Amino acid sequence: MIVAEAVGRALAACGVGTAFGVVGSGNFHVTNALVAGGVHFVAARHEGGAATMADAYARMSGRAGVVSVHQGPGLTNALTGLTEAAKSRTPLIVLAGEATEVQSNFHIDQAALATAVGAVAMRVASPEEAVSRAVEAYRVAVGERRTVLLNLPLDVQSAPFEGPVDVMPPPAIAPAVPAAGEVAELARLLGAAERPVFIAGRGARHARRELEELAALAGALLATSAVAKGLFRGSPWDLDVSGGFATPLAAELIRGADLVVAWGCALNMWTTRHGTLVSPGAKVVKVDLDPAAFNTHVPADLGVAGDVARVAEALAAQVAPRPGYRSPEIAARVRAEGRWRNVPYEDESGGGRIDPRTLSIGLDDLLPRERIVAIDSGNFMGYPSMFVDVPDEGGFCFTQAFQSIGLGLATAIGAAIARPDRLPVAALGDGGALMGIAELETVVRLSLPMVIVVYDDEAYGAEVHHFGPHGHPLGTVTFPPADLAAIARGHGCAAVTVGGPGDLAGVAEWVDGPRDRPLLVHAKVTAEHGSWWLEEAFKGH
């Protein structure tokens, strides 16, 4: 056995279930060793797609993601996806061959590259430490929620390995016990609050029951960051997403809060509309495993270090029931105004183009409820995010920490593999769809029954609506029409072009049929003005 094989088998023994990648000479043996150890390997067409698939898989499965790439260009091709994962604190292990000889055309400082984007750089420096370093990479990725680059120098990879590879996976880390004083102070604040609001983020996606029970005692309204959308779906007090995507009602009620408690949520500029959703007189509390979050973005008046579910359980024993923000009037308003599809709008469909709101509502009505929706970045992104509903927090995959376009299709593939029980839906702009189109072949090859919706305005719409009103020339960000439906058919997909509400019948036919091929919906959307959240988004640039 060689070192590369020992590393792959050790990671399989740790509990890795699925890996993604593009195989070259530098990662050939380690990838085959993963497969020999029982790991399901998904071959992507581009390393950037592979990294994003692994990121989305980890987010939606709750297991560590693994991506395997060639040395040098294999790693640089994956860099945008790795940056997204690192910024999102996704538990991800990157296995990369490494050319350590400076004279090699593959040589770059891979460790420095990883560090520069926020990942943890590690290296297997000798055969003796091969297994221990693999296990340590797994522990850091899972236990510390980090993206880890495990460099595999080519000369070390090929060296003989003599030791055992039957390793015990690192023990699970017990949730941190919150400090009694911090819990007591938060209980006091909840007891004094008249209008409390809970905003749950990614760190709270495992704690719906605990948060709903505490919110019922405290009289709190419930909202989420975008990445945790769906967490409170079905609750009569669910305001849906806070921030730039928030409905007018959600924005009004969150601004009216006298206590905002962020649960596993950093309260970044998107979640708070650059801080404007938190009124000046409101107290802010953050509950997070990472105390560094207490002073970022909107600083906390109180920080409680600990696991969200454990903190909520401890508080439930100390908080006396009170009505808080909950009243029959508020409940009625949430029922009537709590979703974007309930907010009146003037349908601008016409001239062979469909209003993206009308498109999204139509898709929401047609597609099965058990779905998992993945969103790319761009001017269009708020429409599928807010008008296409999801059944719970396991139905929405939002890789937007780095705000790169072109990741949406690969995100949907990773999410689909993590949740094969749900219909995968990819929502893309035309720019992002064409950037990531290499992975359309992957969707077909894997026989994923995916619906791929392309909101096509024949432009980089965000730039059009940001610079166009000021009279700037737009020739660099606008494009002639592209027949995306024909491109999809060429890859083996079913496809339908939608230029008006009546064309959605083609989607209904696919839903009612055998779904034996992926469906691409080429939606020619209206583009007279930017999306409602765009002005808020550009304040952060």
Side-chain angles (χ1 to χ4, degrees), residues 430-442:
D430 52 305
L434 289 165
M435 277 190 184
I437 204 157
E439 302 307 344
L440 199 56
E441 186 277 337
T442 306

Side-chain angles (χ1 to χ4, degrees), residues 336-423:
E337 308 169 49
R339 297 291 178 270
W340 269 108
R341 67 180 296 154
N342 301 133
V343 177
Y345 71 95
E346 183 178 347
D347 189 342
E348 299 175 353
S349 301
R353 292 196 170 272
I354 187 169
D355 189 308
R357 295 164 293 190
T358 304
L359 168 68
S360 302
I361 291 171
L363 292 169
D364 186 48
D365 290 339
L366 287 171
L367 299 178
R369 305 308 298 173
E370 285 299 309
R371 62 184 69 149
I372 186 164
V373 180
I375 310 291
D376 207 341
S377 191
N379 172 62
F380 78 96
M381 63 190 288
Y383 300 116
S385 294
M386 299 313 300
F387 287 90
V388 179
D389 205 3
V390 294
D392 53 35
E393 74 283 359
F396 194 67
C397 194
F398 194 69
T399 49
Q400 296 294 331
F402 197 36
Q403 286 186 265
S404 172
I405 72 170
L407 305 186
L409 184 57
T411 297
I413 294 171
I417 292 169
R419 293 298 305 265
D421 56 318
R422 293 189 166 180
L423 177 75

